[in-house]
Amino acid sequence: MPASQRVRTIIAVLLIPFAVAVAAVVGVVLLYPFGDGPKVDAGSGTPVDGVVTSASTGACNGDEQGGTQNGAGKCLVVTVRMTEGAAANREIRTVVPLEPSTPRFAVDDKVVLAYSGGNPADGQSYQLVDFQRSIPLALLAGLFAVAVLVLGRWQGVKALIALVISFVVLVFFVLPAILAGESPLLVGIVGAGVIMFVVLYLTHGLTARTSTAVLGTMMSLTLIGVLGALWAAFSKLTGLDEDTATLVGLLHKSIDTRGLLLAGVVIGALGVLDDVTVTQTSAVWELRAANPSLTRRQLYVAALRIGRDHVASAVNTLVMAYAGAALPLLLYSSISGVGIGNILTSQSIAQEIVRTLVGSIGIVAAVPVTTALAAAVAAQEKPAIEEEAPPKRRPAGQNERRAAEPDRAASRERSASRERPANREPAATRERTANREKAPAREKTVTRERADSLDERDSREIAARRRAAEWDPDEPLDPPVERAPVRRPRPSTRRLE
C-alpha cells in the first residue's frame, strides 16, 4: 500500500537534515588536522601565578622611591610572591612602565606573570601580564548554570550539555583546522552545521518540529554565506584588521583573511537564527494544536504575525551585539577627525557593517521560510487526541458494595431527618410545612359547601316538577316564585402552599 502524502512529507523533512548532518560529520573528518598543528611562538612566555605583596612608584631600574602609584616616578615597582613555577614561594621584583594603560595593582592582588626563561629568581625574567580571573568566572558560570537548571529543569540540563559541545567544536575543530591552513569559510560552515544539529536535536528532540527548524536554519545560513561572500568581494573587504594582522604575523604564512571574516559572520549569526527558527516552528505547532481546523495558509498568516515582532527585536539584538563589541573602535574612529563618511567606510568599521547587515538579512529571511516549512508539515499532522483511559477492573464484590453505599447513605440521611428536632428547622420551612398540612382541610370545606348548594338547588327543582304534574287548570294560579340565580364558586387561582 503506498504511503500517504502526510507520511511522505514528514519523512522528507526528517531525512533532509539527517543527510546534511552526515555531510557535516564527513566534513569534520576531512578537515580535521590529525597531525601536529603549527608551532607558533607568540613570544609571550610561560604564564605563572603570583600574589602582589607591595606596589609603589620608582625608577625604571628597580630602585623604589617614596609616593604612590600616581607619584612622579616613571615606572611601577611591584613585588610578587610566586605561587607556582620554578620560583614558587619566593618573592621577585618586577618593573612595569607607568602609562595611562597600565593597570593599577594593589597588595594581595592575584596576578599572572609571563616567564621568558633565564634565572627564575631574577625579576627581569618575568613580565606582569594580567590579573587572575578564574575564580570570579567560575562563580559566574556556576550562577548561570543554576539559573538555567532552576527554570529549564531537564530541558536546561540538555541546553547546558549542548553549550559544552558547541564550545568543544569551536576549540577542538574550528580553531585547529583554520590554523592548519584549511579554508576558514569552509571550516566555519562545517562547524556551524555540527553545532546546529547538536544544539537543536539534543535540546528539542528528534521530531518533525525540530527538523523543520533545522531546515529553516540551514537555508538562512546558506543565504548569509552567499550574501557575505558577494558583499565582501563587492566592497573589497580584506579582513585585515589589527587582530588579524597580528595573527598572520605569528603564523608566518598566508591565511585567507576574507574567509576568516565570513566564517565569523556565519558562526555569529547561528545563535540568533536558532532562536528565531525554533520560536517560529513552536508557534505554528501551538496554533495547530489550539485550532486543528486551520489550513496551511491560515497557519502561515497567523504565525507570520508573531514572527514580525520577533524579527524586530532579533535584528536590534544583533546590531547592538556587534556595536558593543566594536565600541572601542567606534570611539577611536570618532575622535580621529576624518569625517563620518571615512569612518564608516574604513576597513575595520565596514566589515562590522557588512557582518551586521548580512546577518540581519538572514534573520529576516528565516521567518517566512521557516514559517512556510512549518505550516506545510504541521498541516499534514493529525492533531493529538487524548484517549480516555479504560476503567480499572475492581475485585469481585466491590462493585456491589459500592452500588449499595448510596442507598445506605440515603437511609442514614432520612433517619437523621426524622430524628432532627423541629426547633432546628428554619422559620420559613416550618411555615411552609404548616400550610401544606392545612391545605387538605381547606379543600374539604370548599367541596362540602359546593355539595350542599347543589343539593338545595336539586330539591327545589324536584318540588317544582311535582307541583306541575298535580296542577288543575280551574284552580287559580299562585304568584310565580322567583328563583335566585345560583352562583357557583370560581376556582381559586391562588397557589396553595
Side-chain angles (χ1 to χ4, degrees):
M1 180 178 180
S4 63
Q5 179 65 31
R6 178 178 65 86
V7 175
R8 289 197 299 269
T9 303
I10 296 176
I11 291 176
V13 170
L14 291 174
L15 287 182
I16 294 175
F18 179 75
V20 178
V22 173
V25 173
V26 173
V28 170
V29 174
L30 295 177
L31 297 175
Y32 185 79
F34 290 97
D36 295 334
K39 301 297 182 181
V40 178
D41 184 12
S44 58
T46 304
V48 290
D49 296 339
V51 179
V52 176
T53 58
S54 67
S56 60
T57 57
C60 292
N61 59 2
D63 296 333
E64 293 186 358
Q65 299 176 354
T68 61
Q69 296 183 22
N70 296 324
K74 295 182 179 180
C75 289
L76 179 65
V77 180
V78 182
T79 303
V80 181
R81 186 181 74 252
M82 309 300 296
T83 57
E84 65 178 9
N89 299 322
R90 298 174 61 179
E91 290 188 351
I92 60 98
R93 180 178 295 174
T94 183
V95 179
V96 181
L98 195 57
E99 299 175 353
S101 60
T102 302
R104 297 298 183 256
F105 298 98
V107 177
D108 295 332
D109 283 345
K110 296 181 179 181
V111 295
V112 179
L113 300 93
Y115 176 58
S116 58
N119 185 7
D122 187 3
Q124 295 183 355
S125 302
Y126 298 89
Q127 182 181 359
L128 196 57
V129 178
D130 207 347
F131 294 95
Q132 297 181 31
R133 300 184 179 91
S134 57
I135 294 178
L137 293 180
L139 291 177
L140 182 59
L143 181 62
F144 166 74
V146 170
V148 172
L149 293 177
V150 169
L151 182 61
R153 298 183 180 180
W154 175 241
Q155 197 79 358
V157 173
K158 295 189 290 185
L160 291 177
I161 295 174
L163 179 62
V164 172
I165 295 176
S166 301
F167 182 76
V168 169
V169 171
L170 287 175
V171 173
F172 294 98
F173 167 68
V174 175
L175 299 183
I178 293 176
L179 292 176
E182 301 292 343
S183 172
L185 179 57
L186 182 59
V187 172
I189 292 174
V190 173
V194 173
I195 293 173
M196 175 184 62
F197 285 108
V198 170
V199 169
L200 291 180
Y201 280 117
L202 179 61
T203 306
H204 303 285
L206 186 62
T207 61
R209 180 188 304 190
T210 308
S211 298
T212 305
V214 170
L215 279 175
T217 306
M218 286 191 304
M219 297 176 68
S220 301
L221 281 179
T222 303
L223 178 62
I224 290 174
V226 172
L227 290 178
L230 290 176
W231 254 259
F234 182 61
S235 57
K236 300 189 182 304
L237 294 178
T238 60
L240 279 172
D241 54 8
E242 183 178 355
D243 295 333
T244 307
T246 303
L247 174 64
V248 173
L250 292 175
L251 290 176
H252 300 292
K253 64 178 182 179
S254 61
I255 186 174
D256 185 7
T257 55
R258 182 180 292 176
L260 189 61
L261 170 64
L262 296 176
V265 172
V266 172
I267 295 176
L270 177 60
V272 184
L273 279 177
D274 289 347
D275 179 31
V276 172
T277 55
V278 170
T279 301
Q280 285 305 112
T281 53
S282 298
V284 171
W285 256 264
E286 291 301 325
L287 289 171
R288 171 69 173 174
N291 189 358
S293 63
L294 291 177
T295 62
R296 181 188 306 178
R297 179 177 177 79
Q298 291 171 337
L299 283 174
Y300 175 79
V301 173
L304 193 61
R305 287 195 295 267
I306 301 174
R308 291 193 184 101
D309 296 333
H310 196 190
V311 162
S313 60
V315 170
N316 186 64
T317 300
L318 189 62
V319 172
M320 291 299 103
Y322 284 136
L327 187 59
L329 183 61
L330 294 175
L331 291 173
Y332 171 76
S333 301
S334 63
I335 64 176
S336 61
V338 296
I340 188 64
N342 293 327
I343 292 175
L344 295 179
T345 56
S346 62
Q347 167 67 34
S348 55
I349 300 297
Q351 70 180 20
E352 295 299 328
I353 293 176
V354 171
R355 191 198 310 267
T356 302
L357 297 182
V358 167
S360 300
I361 292 174
I363 292 172
V364 172
V367 172
V369 170
T370 306
T371 305
L373 291 172
V377 176
Q380 302 296 328
E381 288 190 348
K382 294 181 179 179
I385 301 176
E386 297 183 359
E387 297 182 357
E388 297 183 358
K392 297 182 179 180
R393 299 183 61 183
R394 302 188 181 95
Q398 187 173 359
N399 293 333
E400 290 77 2
R401 288 195 300 271
R402 292 196 175 187
E405 286 179 359
D407 296 338
R408 296 196 195 102
S411 292
R412 287 195 297 268
E413 182 67 23
R414 287 194 296 271
S415 300
S417 300
R418 288 193 297 268
E419 294 174 0
R420 187 182 297 116
N423 56 3
R424 292 185 180 179
E425 296 181 355
T429 303
R430 291 197 299 271
E431 184 178 355
R432 286 195 297 270
T433 303
N435 291 335
R436 283 195 297 268
E437 292 176 354
K438 294 179 181 179
R442 289 198 300 268
E443 291 178 357
K444 291 179 181 179
T445 303
V446 173
T447 304
R448 190 163 48 252
E449 291 177 354
R450 290 178 181 177
D452 294 342
S453 177
L454 292 175
D455 292 342
E456 183 180 357
R457 186 189 63 183
D458 293 342
S459 298
R460 287 197 298 268
E461 290 180 355
I462 293 172
R465 290 194 188 97
R466 288 178 179 176
R467 286 197 300 271
E470 298 175 355
W471 175 68
D472 187 0
D474 297 333
E475 188 174 343
L477 294 175
D478 294 333
V481 179
E482 296 182 359
R483 293 180 57 183
V486 179
R487 295 183 179 179
R488 298 185 180 183
R490 295 180 180 179
S492 177
T493 58
R494 185 177 60 183
R495 180 179 180 183
L496 297 180
E497 296 184 355

